[in-house]
Amino acid sequence: MQVTMTVNDVEVTREIEARLLLVHFLRDVLGLTGTHWGCDTSNCGTCVVWLDGEPVKSCTVLAAMAGGHQVRTVEGLAKGAELDPVQQGFMQCHGLQCGFCTPGMMMTARALLDRNPDPSETEIREAISGQICRCTGYATIVRSVRWAAVAEAQAAAQVTETTESSEAGEIDNAGQPAEAVA
């Protein structure tokens, strides 16, 4: 059967077997190996991707069911060479050790921050509760998500401050203080 879906903002059409799981479609057909394949029973969460903006365990979704939908994988988090704040947080706070659970954790964390930009430790732990990490004990993962939340809040505050300063005539179009340009 033929299936067409949008993966990381690119429309793809492929011939597949009707029983092919989304995780295998992404990894084996499209070569997007950032999505890991763990348990095939939806217990570990290493295979989390987004389907129409919602985290799903791709080992429980047939590729055919994703036809006509938007899929985002961990490869789609970065914007060009700029890492997503969640990816940066995992680097800054050592939120990974072996790295096997990391892509699924990052996708779940990004979805959480999109819904709740300032989650508590309890909310973070609840969001990732459907995923298993056997290395970190979760403390560094929680710190990584908090780091991303704080980094995004600081970036948003800086943009607001720059916009307000620009509107007040304090900053020129190139982002330089007006007195430095004169």
Side-chain angles (χ1 to χ4, degrees):
M1 73 176 290
Q2 191 175 71
V3 65
T4 300
M5 66 185 77
T6 303
V7 179
N8 298 332
D9 300 322
V10 176
E11 187 174 286
V12 296
T13 301
R14 299 290 191 281
E15 286 292 326
I16 62 167
E17 291 184 34
R19 63 188 177 135
L20 183 68
L21 292 172
L22 182 57
V23 65
H24 297 304
F25 177 77
L26 295 169
R27 291 180 58 80
D28 303 336
V29 177
L30 299 183
L32 297 172
T33 57
T35 301
H36 291 169
W37 173 43
C39 64
D40 258 347
T41 61
S42 80
N43 289 320
C44 72
T46 64
C47 67
V48 170
V49 299
W50 293 356
L51 186 61
D52 292 335
E54 289 297 319
V56 298
K57 293 179 180 178
S58 61
C59 74
T60 63
V61 177
L62 294 172
M65 294 168 61
H69 295 278
Q70 301 273 334
V71 176
R72 179 149 324 268
T73 69
V74 71
E75 289 93 344
L77 281 182
K79 297 198 179 16
E82 184 180 337
L83 294 179
D84 184 270
V86 170
Q87 293 169 310
Q88 294 172 0
F90 270 70
M91 286 180 14
Q92 293 294 322
C93 300
H94 309 288
L96 61 114
Q97 285 183 20
C98 81
F100 195 71
C101 71
T102 304
M105 289 285 188
M106 286 183 179
M107 296 304 291
T108 299
R110 176 76 267 150
L112 169 65
L113 293 178
D114 287 348
R115 286 190 312 272
N116 178 359
D118 188 27
S120 66
E121 178 178 337
T122 301
E123 290 167 322
I124 295 168
R125 288 182 179 277
E126 183 178 315
I128 64 172
S129 66
Q131 293 166 267
I132 297 172
C133 175
R134 296 182 182 191
C135 301
T136 67
Y138 302 96
T140 56
I141 293 170
V142 171
R143 268 196 302 272
S144 299
V145 178
R146 282 296 312 147
W147 186 97
V150 169
E152 287 183 336
Q154 289 173 343
Q158 186 175 12
V159 167
T160 300
E161 184 178 299
T162 300
T163 301
E164 289 171 357
S165 295
S166 178
E167 289 171 357
E170 298 169 16
I171 295 181
D172 73 356
N173 290 338
Q176 299 296 320
E179 61 273 3
V181 178

